[in-house]
Amino acid sequence: MSEGGSGGPPDRDGLRAALSGLTTRGRSFLAAGVAAAVCSFLLGQPDLLRVGLLLAALPLVCVLVLHRTRYRVAGSRTLSPARVPAAAESRVRLRMENVSRLPTGVLMLQDRVPYVLGPRPRFVLDRVEAGGRREVSYRVRSDLRGRYPLGPLQLRLSDPFGMCELTRSFSTCDTLTVVPRVEPLPPVRLTGEAAGYGEGRQRSLALAGEDDVIPRGYRHGDDLRRVHWRSTARYGELMVRREEQPQKARCTILLDTRETAHPGSGPDSAFEWAVTGAASSALHLLERGFSVRLLTDTGTSVPGPDGAGGFGGGTESADAAGLVLDTLAVVEQSEEEGLSAAYDVLRGSNEGLLVAFFGDLDEQQAAVAGRMRQRCGAAVAFVLDGDAFTRRPGGIRFSPGQVPVADRLRLLRQAGWTALPVTPGDALADLWRAGAGPQRPAEADAAEADAAETVAGGRP
């Protein structure tokens, strides 16, 4: 933010605003002066009239002087950093500069911040000389992700007697983005990687001969060995073979945001765990060179810079990671009743790796999730136990139509998913190592399902 206030002739509206800025002391002096003047007429005491006029004139003179005072002050705000994880701090630096030729009086600087970020910061600045600068700073912190406006910056002017105060505001605001926490994940060999959906690159097969190649313009980073010299000579610029370009490994992160699927709220809720898991998985896969697409149950898909429906890896990884975090910073629970919209999006494409974060599922939605498995090379599902996250008293209670976690896992595994249960306190890194690693044998899945049923049945 950078703005300044400049001088000019006083106007009537500004004078009214100055009169409304009278402090309690100023109003008291004015009321006492009026009362003394009235008493002087009633009592016939001319000396009391002089005292009343003095008392009434003092706050009015202060108002006029303060109103005619035109400081030219420039203010700026700097966030360091402007994007922080939840529960992390960001430093806000305020800088005031007196760009006029006159020194200022005592200034009170106040910045408006949402209550989630902490108390409203206030600073008292001593006399600022002509051309002088003052810098102050404060910290903000939020346990809740989101986008929070900072500002406008307010400057409060006061006369030496404390009779009047005027507040002038700058118009520019800044935004602090609080993104989900990202947990580091172990570099395991991803399921389906051997089939071409992991770190290895696929090459699209050429369906035309050398003379039928459809080239495209050379881009920074293209291998010079793929330059098509005949087309280069024809167009006068470097052209590369389109069919020889490597195809990045693809992955879709599916986030179930249904309100009915994630009971409870707050930083420790099941939904926030799922958002953190989606952010951590997306950034981990981007670092490994995947083309990542973020998809929600509403069918909303966040496209990447390449416009192909996925975030590009490689040199675009940093920008893509920022876009993922900014998207997840403001994601909210939806009113959708099912996963059909997400399935329609997946049905129109051929995915590589599918990583899903599911909440409570009934049999119908479990069947829809099972059909999603047919559209991808490998699928990993993290199934959150909403009842365990809400810690409901009286044992396990399921909403109408919801099935126990053990049954959800069984239905998803029968459809080909690698499904893992998630309860409070589970480390995402451990689950990632168990679920995103090489495909486990069916006997191990069956044994884990039996163990989950035994645990669920043994709870009070």
Side-chain angles (χ1 to χ4, degrees), residues 262-319:
H262 299 284
S265 60
D268 297 328
S269 64
F271 180 66
E272 293 301 324
W273 196 101
V275 173
T276 299
S280 303
S281 303
L283 266 64
H284 176 73
L285 293 172
L286 283 169
E287 291 175 355
R288 300 193 65 178
F290 276 73
S291 178
V292 180
R293 176 175 62 172
L294 183 63
L295 179 65
T296 66
D297 57 286
T298 62
T300 303
S301 178
V302 181
D306 54 2
F311 296 106
T315 58
E316 300 173 347
S317 179
D319 295 337

Side-chain angles (χ1 to χ4, degrees), residues 21-65:
L22 281 172
T23 62
T24 302
R25 180 184 300 177
R27 296 176 187 273
S28 300
F29 268 69
L30 185 60
V34 174
V38 173
C39 291
S40 68
F41 284 109
L42 295 178
L43 301 178
Q45 298 291 333
D47 294 336
L48 187 59
L49 178 60
R50 296 188 187 95
V51 174
L53 292 177
L54 178 62
L55 293 176
L58 181 59
L60 294 179
V61 171
C62 290
V63 167
L64 183 60
V65 171

Side-chain angles (χ1 to χ4, degrees), residues 87 124 167 184 373 441:
V124 177
T167 301
R373 173 64 181 84

Side-chain angles (χ1 to χ4, degrees), residues 263-419:
S265 60
D268 297 328
S269 64
F271 180 66
E272 293 301 324
W273 196 101
V275 173
T276 299
S280 303
S281 303
L283 266 64
H284 176 73
L285 293 172
L286 283 169
E287 291 175 355
R288 300 193 65 178
F290 276 73
S291 178
V292 180
R293 176 175 62 172
L294 183 63
L295 179 65
T296 66
D297 57 286
T298 62
T300 303
S301 178
V302 181
D306 54 2
F311 296 106
T315 58
E316 300 173 347
S317 179
D319 295 337
L323 188 54
V324 169
L325 292 176
D326 289 343
T327 302
L328 292 175
V330 296
V331 67
E332 297 179 354
Q333 291 182 282
S334 68
E335 298 180 356
E336 291 287 328
E337 297 181 356
L339 303 171
S340 300
Y343 171 71
D344 292 339
V345 175
L346 293 174
R347 184 174 56 181
S349 60
N350 188 11
E351 300 299 322
L353 176 64
L354 177 60
V355 179
F357 294 86
F358 291 124
D360 292 340
L361 299 173
D362 54 22
E363 293 185 0
Q364 180 180 0
Q365 301 311 317
V368 174
R371 291 197 297 270
M372 294 179 182
R373 173 64 181 84
Q374 303 172 1
R375 309 304 305 173
C376 58
V380 180
F382 299 91
V383 183
L384 283 78
D385 187 351
D387 291 283
F389 274 91
T390 53
R391 298 181 175 89
R392 300 173 183 174
I396 301 178
R397 300 177 184 175
F398 297 100
S399 303
Q402 305 297 341
V403 297
V405 176
D407 293 340
R408 295 180 226 165
L409 298 174
R410 177 178 53 81
L411 293 174
L412 291 175
R413 287 166 179 165
Q414 288 178 351
W417 285 83
T418 300

Side-chain angles (χ1 to χ4, degrees), residues 8-12 14-15 64 67-68 70:
D11 52 79
R12 294 182 179 178
L15 189 58
L64 183 60
H67 173 61
R68 295 181 63 88
R70 295 295 189 175

Side-chain angles (χ1 to χ4, degrees), residues 59-99:
L60 294 179
V61 171
C62 290
V63 167
L64 183 60
V65 171
L66 191 61
H67 173 61
R68 295 181 63 88
T69 300
R70 295 295 189 175
Y71 300 136
R72 296 187 61 208
V73 179
S76 63
R77 182 192 298 106
T78 304
L79 299 180
S80 180
R83 181 194 293 126
V84 295
E89 289 186 344
S90 176
R91 179 180 290 273
V92 183
R93 292 182 174 86
L94 303 177
R95 180 178 179 179
M96 301 299 299
E97 181 179 1
N98 182 12
V99 296

